[in-house]
Amino acid sequence: MKSLLNIAILCLSLAAGAAALEIAGTVPEAVKGAPKADFNLSGLVVKSVAYEKGAVIMPATENKGRTYNDVKLLAKGLYGRIETCFRSGCAKPAAKSAAPAIKVEGFKPLKSPVRVANAEISFDKELLVVAGVMASRKEPGEFWIAFPEALEFKDEAFKASVENAVKAAWAKNKK
């Protein structure tokens, strides 16, 4: 019985590792020693990730004198991979990485008539992005998703699937 449990734990840990975000590239290409870089994480590009005083610092958005941390690291593993890139360079990326698993973690309703809520979206349970659920002025009752400036999608189809997942979760949340 104990050996079956050990085998099950091993299988789950291997499956969890396979779903991790991969560093598919950086700008500049040689990140070792650079103060800032853009990281392509399995098709998601996080811009202006900094390495200061031995710490990885994710980009923040400033608006009207306030700072918003809308791109956050959730896993020590991803933090370690980014830190390693800054300290000793990145390993060669896999030929083609799979699209990350998307999960809408929740919503924080706002009092604004335009940005009605903040949606928290996790990618492979390693990266959290806070996006805005925006009410359309042209089409009443319709919504669109505003991603932070520090985030870019390499694949438009993947971006559309993330937007659709957030819109579906928002419609379900409103009911």
Side-chain angles (χ1 to χ4, degrees):
M1 181 69 177
K2 189 174 182 181
S3 63
L4 288 175
L5 183 60
N6 288 339
I7 291 171
I9 290 171
L10 177 65
C11 290
L12 288 174
S13 66
L14 290 175
L21 288 173
E22 293 183 33
I23 298 175
T26 60
V27 174
E29 200 169 311
V31 177
K32 181 179 178 182
K36 281 189 175 182
D38 298 346
F39 283 83
N40 181 346
L41 304 172
S42 301
L44 291 168
V45 177
V46 180
K47 299 177 183 177
S48 299
V49 177
Y51 189 68
E52 297 174 6
K53 299 178 185 174
V56 174
I57 300 171
M58 298 304 286
T61 302
E62 293 189 27
N63 186 18
K64 297 180 183 176
R66 296 184 73 184
T67 302
Y68 301 95
N69 296 318
D70 39 8
V71 180
K72 303 171 189 172
L73 294 172
L74 296 176
K76 289 181 183 179
L78 180 57
Y79 181 94
R81 291 191 299 274
I82 293 173
E83 182 180 35
T84 299
C85 283
F86 279 115
R87 291 178 130 189
S88 56
C90 295
K92 295 216 180 214
K96 177 81 172 165
S97 58
I102 307 162
K103 182 177 181 192
V104 179
E105 299 292 339
F107 294 96
K108 293 188 179 170
L110 303 172
K111 294 179 182 176
S112 170
V114 177
R115 187 172 181 137
V116 295
N118 284 336
E120 294 182 340
I121 311 157
S122 70
F123 296 91
D124 281 344
K125 296 183 181 180
E126 290 192 318
L127 184 73
L128 184 79
V129 174
V130 179
V133 178
M134 312 295 282
S136 174
R137 291 184 179 182
K138 295 179 181 177
E139 300 174 24
E142 293 295 316
F143 298 94
W144 58 279
I145 309 304
F147 293 101
E149 289 182 15
L151 187 74
E152 178 182 305
F153 291 88
K154 284 292 194 184
D155 181 19
E156 286 299 317
F158 180 59
K159 180 179 180 181
S161 69
V162 173
E163 289 173 337
N164 290 336
V166 174
K167 288 177 188 177
W170 176 247
K172 185 178 178 182
N173 183 54
K174 285 182 61 177
K175 290 183 181 182

